[in-house]
């Protein structure tokens, strides 16, 4: 649509009931302009999502750290910590935030008192109360009722920090170190008591989401105590009763207890233990610990170990700096807490995988050395849609290192990854997420020529070929039929090697988007012929379009088809075959590389807008903004099947609210985002679904800040009405004086329907009154201020044929 919708008059009247034009709206006078809080860590609630849906963790870590030192209440569950439970098994060193499968929760410590008589985690577990929990970025503390022990956790980048305070009356005080059994699967381990103050060991983990059954990763640890042991012992799968004085244990059996304990006599008081982690070796874990805490002889005799308090404060300061890279002012206290908590979760992964000396273990299981940090934990199917954009916006140098790590995986494994965990490839999920993820970072101009060229060659191979040996990386298994026909021929065959083939409809849409985006990279690198080949695939989404499918009064939806072209499964778009974690209703919008072409299939922009209105139940968005999400949308983490509505709990349709820009009604985006806001609350159940390594959280961050890149890799940031008075973006440039872009939107709030009325951009050149619905990446970062005038009535801002980003298909 190029004009205001026909319903504008009715909507304007309805909006008048909500409020007048926003110029103050309860905000402070201009003379007292709201300012960001100096320390946003005080507003972060790390318990948000600590349940079987959100699957986040409450413990201590630093941004992108190797270590996530956090409590566990259960084993072999999606969430190793469930807020609804009141018994702790211990504190493990490795966690992933928001994943939808059981994983990690490895190298678990638990303080106990009294004689050590059992190595079964449930036997030495302790009850606790949330009233005695304290958690904030970089710190976690809790009282263990059974032992009257105060446990405190913190972390450096590669080291988990523990401090346990035992009761004075206890004659024997212990730390149990479980190595063989965690929340994720394990496949062998060993432990060794070294001297009288150190325990070291190893565990092989893997089998994430049970996909390949063969993916593995290696974790080593070195735990140094600040007091000498008065006694020690260990246990193994065939000797579950701990045996004193036995220093070494090992097993090739997985998912069975194996570990060691250290004991301290009466009056132990505070006992500190630093647990270095490495994916390379025990020596690497030891060096990581000693370098980051100063607690080892290799750091020099004159070096005094840093105290727990000092390192904990450093972790908090690191988080304060990270959260201030995209600070906000104004809005409600609840909005700020929700926002900063989401920003916190958005900056947990990917995780550093290299040791302090630059060594890392590659996909080939060999040890390599790099001159830049190596990263791992790439949940690409999720993060390419929002979280990667946030990381590259705020931490361009880190994002460059992360992208270079993808190249290292290719060089050592022969193919680019899909969902890598540690030094293993899980092959989880479908489509081609790595291409969009990489091209997004390339489009920012943060990659050097050698890395760009290497990655393009890797991606070109990936979009055209298939690994002969798919045992490690399956590649784009739909390529044979896709390259030939333009769609992936559906086959319901078992095995992870056919993941895209079984999800052929959605994977076809994903392939088409990635190929189209890779064409822009090919153009930028001077590969015209390859760019033309890739651009010809931009509209392959149309090959999966069944023009006869009908639902809710609309005709034409994506659908799976066999290699011979026949349609597969039910014609009902809400009950369709071949879509990964979604339905045709949710996936129909995944052609954002060419919105105009997609809308043509839908019958034009007006018809497309009507579909969007049905998808979001837009009349109720306006009439009952606070309740429409829970009443009309998909609200359960796994309730996307057989559904025609918007699913803000999962990734495939996260960009859909911004598709209104191409129908000529960008004001509706702002309304939908305010309707989504109540799904996120400041409590343990405040996540609507799996956070997927910060994907849903970063989507919320952008929605509240008023900018989003719905075409990942395009560099086009669409503007919506912010929910704060101001947003301050300060990327980590490494410069002595860093540049800040300030988005000003006086009176911005989530509690009132507000729309963009005017946008004025000031930078180094002449100020401009922006009439387009978007800013380019360079315009966003180059601006000093972006002042957004807000209205409570729908406006004509950002409408018109030239107001939307151009098609990536070059049409």
């Amino acid at each position: 649509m190029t004009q205001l919708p026909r319903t504008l008059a009715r909507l304007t009247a309805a909006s008048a009931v909500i409020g007048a034009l926003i110029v103050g709206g309860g905000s402070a006078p201009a003379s007292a302009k709201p300012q960001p809080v100096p320390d946003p860590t005080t507003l972060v609630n790390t318990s948000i999502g600590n349940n079987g849906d959100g699957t986040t963790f409450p413990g201590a870590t630093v941004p992108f750290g190797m270590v996530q030192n956090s409590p566990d209440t259960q084993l072999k569950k999606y969430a190793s910590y469930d807020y609804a439970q009141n018994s702790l098994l211990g504190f493990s060193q490795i966690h992933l935030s928001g994943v939808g499968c059981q994983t990690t929760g490895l190298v678990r410590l638990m303080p106990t008192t009294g004689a050590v008589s059992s190595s079964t985690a449930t036997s030495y577990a302790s009850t606790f109360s949330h009233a005695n929990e304290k958690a904030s970025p970089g710190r976690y503390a809790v009282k263990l009722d059974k032992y009257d022990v105060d446990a405190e956790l913190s972390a450096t980048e590669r080291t988990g920090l523990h401090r346990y305070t035992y009761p004075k009356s206890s004659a024997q005080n212990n730390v149990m170190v479980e190595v063989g059994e965690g929340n994720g699967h394990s496949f062998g381990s060993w432990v060794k008591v070294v001297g009288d103050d150190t325990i070291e060991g190893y565990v092989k983990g893997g089998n994430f989401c049970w996909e390949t059954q063969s993916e593995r990763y290696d974790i080593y640890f070195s735990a140094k105590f600040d007091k000498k042991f008065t006694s020690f012992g260990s246990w193994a799968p065939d000797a579950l009763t701990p045996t004193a004085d036995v220093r070494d244990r090992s097993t090739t059996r997985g998912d069975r207890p194996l570990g060691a304990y250290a004991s301290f006599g009466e009056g132990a008081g505070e006992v500190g233990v630093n647990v270095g982690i490495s994916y390379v070796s025990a020596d690497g874990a030891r060096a990581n610990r000693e370098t980051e805490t100063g607690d080892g002889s290799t750091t020099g005799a004159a070096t005094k170990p840093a105290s727990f308090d000092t390192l904990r404060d450093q972790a908090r300061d690191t988080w304060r700096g990270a959260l201030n890279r995209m600070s906000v002012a104004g809005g409600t206290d609840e909005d700020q807490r929700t926002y900063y908590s989401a920003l916190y979760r958005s900056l947990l992964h990917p995780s550093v995988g290299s040791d302090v000396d630059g060594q890392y273990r590659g996909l080939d299981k060999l040890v390599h050395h790099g001159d830049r940090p190596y990263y791992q934990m790439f949940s690409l199917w999720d993060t390419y849609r929002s979280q990667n954009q946030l990381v590259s916006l705020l931490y361009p140098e880190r994002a460059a290192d992360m992208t270079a790590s993808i190249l290292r995986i290719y060089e050592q494994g022969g193919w680019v990854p899909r969902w890598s965990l540690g030094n293993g490839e899980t092959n989880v999920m479908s489509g081609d997420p790595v291409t969009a993820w990489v091209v997004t970072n390339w489009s920012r101009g943060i990659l050097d020529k050698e890395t760009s060229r290497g990655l393009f060659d890797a991606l070109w191979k990936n979009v055209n070929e298939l690994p002969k040996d798919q045992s490690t990386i399956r590649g784009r298994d739909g390529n044979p039929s896709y390259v030939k026909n333009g769609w992936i021929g559906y086959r319901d065959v078992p095995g992870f090697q056919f993941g895209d083939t079984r999800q052929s409809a959605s994977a076809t849409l994903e392939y088409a988007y990635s190929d189209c985006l890779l064409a822009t990279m090919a153009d930028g690198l001077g590969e015209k012929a390859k760019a033309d080949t890739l651009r010809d695939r931009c509209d392959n989404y149309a090959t999966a379009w069944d023009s006869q499918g009908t639902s809710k009064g609309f005709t034409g939806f994506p659908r799976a088809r066999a290699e011979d072209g026949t349609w597969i499964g039910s014609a009902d778009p809400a009950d369709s075959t071949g879509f990964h974690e979604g339905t045709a209703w949710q996936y129909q919008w995944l052609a954002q590389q060419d919105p105009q072409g997609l809308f043509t299939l839908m019958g034009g922009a007006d018809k497309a807008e009507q579909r969007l209105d049905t998808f979001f139940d837009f009349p109720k968005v306006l009439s009952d903004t606070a309740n429409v999400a829970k009443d009309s949308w998909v609200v359960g983490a796994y309730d996307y099947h057989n559904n025609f509505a918007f699913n803000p709990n999962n990734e495939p349709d996260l960009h859909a609210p911004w598709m209104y820009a191409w129908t000529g009604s960008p004001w509706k985006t702002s309304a939908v985002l305010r309707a989504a806001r109540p799904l996120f609350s400041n409590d343990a159940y405040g996540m609507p679904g799996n956070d997927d390594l910060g994907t849903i959280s970063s989507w919320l961050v952008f929605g509240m800040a008023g900018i989003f890149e719905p075409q990942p890799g395009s560099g086009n940031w669409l503007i919506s009405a912010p929910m704060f008075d101001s947003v301050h973006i300060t990327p980590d440039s490494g410069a002595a004086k860093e540049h800040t872009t300030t988005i000003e939107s006086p009176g911005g709030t989530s509690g009132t329907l507000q729309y963009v009325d005017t946008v004025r951009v000031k930078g180094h050149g002449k100020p401009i009154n922006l009439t387009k619905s978007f800013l380019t990446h360079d315009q966003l970062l180059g601006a000093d201020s972006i002042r957004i005038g807000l209205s409570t009535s729908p406006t004509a801002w950002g409408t018109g044929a030239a107001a939307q980003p151009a098609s990536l298909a070059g049409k």
Side-chain angles (χ1 to χ4, degrees):
M1 300 179 68
T2 57
Q3 297 178 349
L4 281 174
R6 293 182 297 273
T7 56
L8 178 59
R10 177 179 62 82
L11 297 176
T12 300
S15 297
V17 176
I18 300 173
L21 182 67
I22 297 296
V23 292
S27 64
S31 59
K33 183 185 297 185
Q35 297 297 316
V37 297
D39 185 3
T41 66
T42 61
L43 299 177
V44 172
N45 182 352
T46 64
S47 75
I48 293 175
N50 292 174
N51 58 71
D53 287 345
T55 69
T56 61
F57 61 86
T61 186
V62 295
F64 314 109
M66 179 183 291
V67 164
Q68 302 80 30
N69 189 8
S70 191
D72 300 317
T73 63
Q74 58 189 4
L75 300 178
K76 302 300 183 280
K77 301 291 185 181
Y78 288 4
S80 62
Y81 178 95
D82 191 330
Y83 193 86
Q85 299 177 353
N86 68 344
S87 180
L88 282 181
L89 304 176
F91 311 100
S92 55
Q93 311 310 293
I94 307 292
H95 294 82
L96 292 181
S97 182
V99 292
C101 287
Q102 62 194 53
T103 186
T104 60
L106 296 167
V107 188
R108 188 173 66 250
L109 278 64
M110 181 65 173
T112 70
T113 60
V116 178
S117 59
S118 175
S119 62
T120 305
T122 53
S123 70
Y124 58 76
S126 172
T127 59
F128 74 102
S129 168
H130 293 304
N132 293 324
E133 272 188 311
K134 296 180 181 179
S136 60
R139 186 208 181 197
Y140 175 86
V142 67
K143 176 178 282 293
L144 302 176
D145 298 335
K146 182 176 181 178
Y147 306 110
D148 194 25
V149 170
D150 290 321
E152 299 175 81
L153 311 180
S154 190
T156 63
E157 198 163 60
R158 301 171 180 86
T159 304
L161 311 173
H162 302 244
R163 183 167 65 187
Y164 306 136
T165 303
Y166 295 90
K168 294 179 180 180
S169 59
S170 176
Q172 181 174 333
N173 307 283
N174 320 294
V175 177
M176 312 289 285
V177 182
E178 173 59 59
V179 185
E181 185 180 42
N183 189 51
H185 292 291
S186 61
F187 300 89
S189 56
W190 60 260
V191 69
K192 182 177 182 180
V193 178
V194 181
D196 58 7
D197 64 357
T198 301
I199 298 176
E200 296 184 337
Y202 156 86
V203 59
K204 182 181 289 292
N207 203 17
F208 178 68
C209 284
W210 315 277
E211 193 79 12
T212 69
Q213 304 291 321
S214 61
E215 147 264 332
R216 303 288 184 266
Y217 53 89
D218 307 290
I219 296 176
Y220 298 82
F221 76 93
S222 176
K224 174 74 174 289
F225 294 76
D226 66 357
K227 283 183 171 62
K228 295 185 182 301
F229 308 154
T230 56
S231 62
F232 61 85
S234 60
W235 63 89
D238 54 356
L240 293 178
T241 300
T243 305
D245 300 326
V246 177
R247 289 184 176 272
D248 297 271
R249 298 280 193 177
S250 65
T251 183
T252 57
R253 299 165 65 183
D255 292 335
R256 294 293 302 277
L258 180 141
Y261 68 88
S263 294
F264 310 88
E266 187 174 2
E270 288 185 359
V271 174
V273 54
N274 298 332
V275 187
I277 294 294
S278 170
Y279 288 79
V280 174
S281 65
D283 289 342
R286 193 179 312 119
N288 289 343
R289 169 178 56 75
E290 292 174 348
T291 300
E292 294 183 348
T293 69
D295 70 359
S297 59
T298 60
T299 59
T303 302
K304 182 179 180 180
S307 70
F308 179 93
D309 291 340
T310 296
L311 295 172
R312 179 201 60 207
D313 291 348
Q314 288 178 2
R316 181 199 61 207
D317 291 346
T318 299
W319 275 114
R320 180 168 57 235
L323 298 173
N324 274 323
R325 296 215 167 272
M326 197 164 174
S327 61
V328 297
T332 66
D333 178 75
E334 186 76 3
D335 281 340
Q336 290 207 14
R337 292 181 183 279
T338 301
Y339 171 87
Y340 280 118
S341 298
L343 182 57
Y344 165 82
R345 295 189 300 273
S346 301
L347 302 178
L348 296 172
H349 305 291
S351 303
V352 169
S354 52
D355 290 342
V356 291
D357 62 0
Q359 289 195 98
Y360 65 94
R361 190 173 295 275
L363 192 74
D364 56 6
K365 309 306 178 185
L366 301 177
V367 176
H368 302 268
H369 184 275
D371 57 1
R372 61 199 301 182
Y374 177 82
Y375 287 85
Q376 53 195 23
M377 311 304 188
F378 291 105
S379 177
L380 300 173
W381 186 85
D382 308 293
T383 59
Y384 92 80
R385 306 170 202 262
S386 61
Q387 192 260 358
N388 182 45
Q389 289 87 318
L390 186 63
V391 174
S392 62
L393 175 65
L394 302 183
Y395 288 95
E397 184 175 343
R398 279 190 187 265
D401 290 339
M402 292 169 184
T403 316
S405 300
I406 297 292
L407 181 57
R408 301 288 90 80
I409 293 173
Y410 169 75
E411 292 171 343
Q412 293 147 21
W415 295 87
V416 288
R418 180 188 301 269
W419 208 127
S420 67
L421 198 165
N423 58 307
E425 170 56 37
T426 70
N427 288 291
V428 169
M429 306 311 291
S430 61
D432 179 19
V434 65
T435 296
W437 192 95
V438 167
V439 177
T440 294
N441 291 342
W442 170 82
S443 73
R444 305 312 197 231
I446 61 178
L447 306 184
D448 59 67
K449 291 182 179 180
E450 181 179 357
T451 301
S452 298
R453 169 51 62 181
L455 282 166
F456 176 78
D457 293 343
L459 295 174
W460 174 257
K461 176 182 176 182
N462 185 60
V463 303
N464 289 292
E465 303 176 29
L466 189 67
K468 292 181 180 180
D469 178 5
Q470 294 177 290
S471 62
T472 301
I473 296 180
R474 82 169 194 249
R476 288 192 359 173
D477 61 85
N479 270 350
S481 57
Y482 176 82
V483 173
K484 176 184 176 181
N485 300 323
W487 71 86
I488 300 171
Y490 175 83
R491 287 190 296 160
D492 186 11
V493 289
F496 76 91
Q497 300 93 334
F498 304 101
D500 293 347
T501 306
R502 290 191 301 273
Q503 313 289 353
S504 64
S506 58
T508 294
L509 303 178
E510 300 268 15
Y511 281 20
Y513 185 82
S514 291
D515 289 353
C516 194
L517 198 58
L518 189 57
T520 66
M521 187 176 184
D523 274 331
L525 296 178
E527 294 279 4
K528 185 179 184 306
K530 292 180 178 178
D532 290 343
T533 297
L534 292 164
R535 195 168 288 108
D536 285 344
R537 302 179 186 175
C538 284
D539 58 0
N540 277 354
Y541 65 87
T543 68
W545 194 265
D546 178 7
S547 60
Q548 302 304 309
T550 60
S551 180
K552 302 292 179 181
F554 302 102
T555 301
F557 288 88
R559 189 176 175 188
R561 62 195 312 181
E563 188 168 356
D564 65 5
T566 57
W567 298 112
I568 297 294
S570 171
D572 181 358
D575 182 23
S576 43
T577 299
F579 291 88
H580 202 154
E581 297 187 0
T583 67
W585 260 99
Q586 289 140 14
Y587 269 99
Q588 66 181 312
W589 311 109
L590 212 165
Q592 65 266 47
Q593 71 271 25
D594 183 24
Q596 294 86 349
L598 174 65
F599 292 170
T600 297
L601 294 176
M602 293 179 172
D606 284 357
K607 284 289 187 181
E609 184 165 324
Q610 291 171 22
R611 285 190 193 224
L612 285 167
D613 289 348
T614 299
F615 190 55
F616 295 113
D617 193 1
F618 196 75
K620 191 167 183 176
V621 166
L622 297 175
S623 65
D624 193 6
T625 311
N627 296 303
V628 63
K630 65 181 179 64
D631 291 345
S632 300
W633 300 354
V634 179
V635 294
Y638 308 103
D639 292 343
Y640 36 76
H641 298 295
N642 304 322
N643 209 304
F644 70 90
F646 177 49
N647 181 13
N649 318 312
N650 207 6
E651 283 70 25
D653 58 358
L654 288 182
H655 65 285
W658 287 268
M659 295 297 284
Y660 278 120
W662 286 277
T663 70
S665 296
W667 62 273
K668 291 187 174 182
T669 300
S670 298
V672 170
L673 294 176
R674 277 161 172 74
R677 170 64 185 86
L679 292 174
F680 300 85
S681 57
N682 185 34
D683 56 52
Y685 302 95
M687 283 289 304
N690 300 159
D691 200 21
D692 292 323
L693 279 67
T695 300
I696 303 300
S697 288
S698 54
W699 180 83
L700 177 65
V701 166
F702 283 130
M704 297 185 77
I707 56 171
F708 188 65
E709 185 183 18
Q711 301 167 301
S714 67
N716 295 322
W717 295 92
L718 270 67
I719 299 172
S720 59
M723 302 182 197
F724 300 101
D725 284 79
S726 61
V727 181
H728 308 262
I729 303 171
T730 309
D732 182 9
S733 66
K737 184 175 176 56
E738 296 177 323
H739 179 263
T740 296
T741 296
T742 299
I743 300 173
E744 301 173 339
S745 48
T749 179
S750 68
T752 301
L753 286 175
Q754 297 174 319
Y755 312 99
V756 178
D757 189 34
T758 60
V759 178
R760 185 168 176 80
V761 182
K762 294 182 179 180
H764 299 299
K766 182 179 179 181
I768 61 171
N769 292 318
L770 187 72
T771 57
K772 294 182 177 181
S773 61
F774 67 98
L775 287 166
T776 67
H777 188 70
D778 288 342
Q779 287 175 324
L780 175 65
L781 293 186
D784 294 327
S785 68
I786 302 167
R787 187 172 180 87
I788 300 175
L790 301 177
S791 169
T792 52
S793 299
T795 73
W797 176 86
T799 62
Q804 307 90 11
S807 167
L808 301 181
K811 297 179 180 179

